[in-house]
Amino acid sequence: MATMRAGPATALYLATIPKPTAQEGEAIVRVKAFGLNRMDLLQREGYYPVPPQAPKTLGVEFSGIIENLGEGCKDGFKEGDEVFGLAYGGAYAEYIAANTHMLLKKPSHLSWVEAAGIPETWITATQALHLIGEMAPGKTVLWHAGASSVSISGIQLSKAAGASAIYATAGSQEKLDFCVNELGATQAFNYKTQDWAKEILAVTDGKGVDIVIDFVGANYFQGNLDVAARDGHIVTLASLSGTKLPAGVDIGAFVRKRLRYEGSSLRSRDPEYQGRLRDKLETYIEKFNNGTFNLFVEKVFPWEHIVEAHQFMEADVSKGKIICTIG
C-alpha cells in the first residue's frame, strides 16, 4: 500500500499497513486504478487541510471491485460489483473503505483507468459550475487552467449546459488549441503572453463573463474582478499563486457589478453533500458513451512508480488525467 512522508515526491514509498475494515455504510473495494490530483501534491508536502476522517494514505478517486460490505449499506451494491468512486483518502492502496453512497457501478464501456479518473474532477467541476456558479443556459463561463483535469471536465459540462460562450486560459499554444479544438471552448488565451482579462473584455464588448472558475488565487484576483460580468459569480477552488493579495487591488467591482466571490472545497464536505453530487454524476454516465463527454488520460503509471507519477504531475505538461494501476 502507498503511504507518504511529508516532503518531495521522493518521500513517497510503499509500505505494509493494516487492511481496512468496513464500517457501517461502507464497502471494501479492491483497487484496480486510482487517479492523481493536484491536492495530492499539497497533502504530500503537508499543506493540505486533510479531513479528520481521512487516512494518512493519499488518494481520493479510484476504481475497483467490491470485496465485502459493512452493515447498513442501502445503495444496491453487492460483493463482486465493479465500481468507481470518491473517498476522503486512502485510494493509493490495494484496498479502500468507501461509503457506498459515493460509489457508482462501472459500465462496461469504461476501462478501469478511465473510471478511476472521473469522480474527483467531474464532481468538482459539477459543484463549481452548477451548485456554486448557478449555471443556466445562455450564460458565459471562463475556466482558468483550461487543460487541467477539472477544467477539461468543466468546459465540456458548460457546453452541455448551454453556455453561450466558453473561455479558457492556459500556458502554451498546444494547450490553447486543445481547449478549443478538442474540448469546444469558444476561445482560449495564453496567460504568459496575453493580458487575458483585457482580451476577454474585448471579445465580449466589455460585458465580461457570468461565471469564472479559478484555481490560481492571488495573481488572478484583480483580473477576475475585472472580467466578471454584472451579477457574476467567481468561484475559487485553489490558490496556486498564493493567498496574499498584492498592493493596489481594487475591490470596487464587488459593489459596482454586484459580484459574488465564493470559495469551495469538495473534500471537506459531509457525505450527504458529496452524495448529491455523486447522484448528479450518475446522470452523466451515458454521456461518456455517446460522445457528449470525452475522457482524456495523459499517462498511466504502475503504482510502484508513484514517485515518477507525482514528478510528472509537478512538471505541469499534462492535458488530462494521470492514473496509476495496481496489479
Side-chain angles (χ1 to χ4, degrees), residues 231-247:
D231 295 315
H233 291 175
I234 303 168
V235 183
T236 182
L237 301 179
S239 300
L240 297 176
S241 68
T243 59
K244 304 293 185 181
L245 297 181

Side-chain angles (χ1 to χ4, degrees), residues 129-173:
L129 183 68
H130 290 289
L131 269 66
I132 303 174
E134 298 180 346
M135 178 62 188
K139 287 191 174 184
T140 55
V141 189
L142 166 61
W143 288 89
H144 288 302
S148 68
S149 294
V150 172
S151 292
I152 287 172
S153 307
I155 290 169
Q156 296 180 77
L157 286 168
S158 301
K159 185 177 180 180
S164 59
I166 306 165
Y167 303 104
T169 62
S172 71
Q173 189 61 48

Side-chain angles (χ1 to χ4, degrees), residues 180-202:
V180 174
N181 299 331
E182 297 290 333
L183 302 179
T186 308
Q187 286 183 258
F189 305 92
N190 191 325
Y191 67 84
K192 294 180 180 178
T193 62
Q194 295 174 285
D195 185 329
W196 53 266
K198 287 185 178 179
E199 295 284 350
I200 291 172
L201 286 171

Side-chain angles (χ1 to χ4, degrees), residues 87-98:
Y88 289 109
Y92 287 24
E94 294 172 308
Y95 295 91
I96 187 171

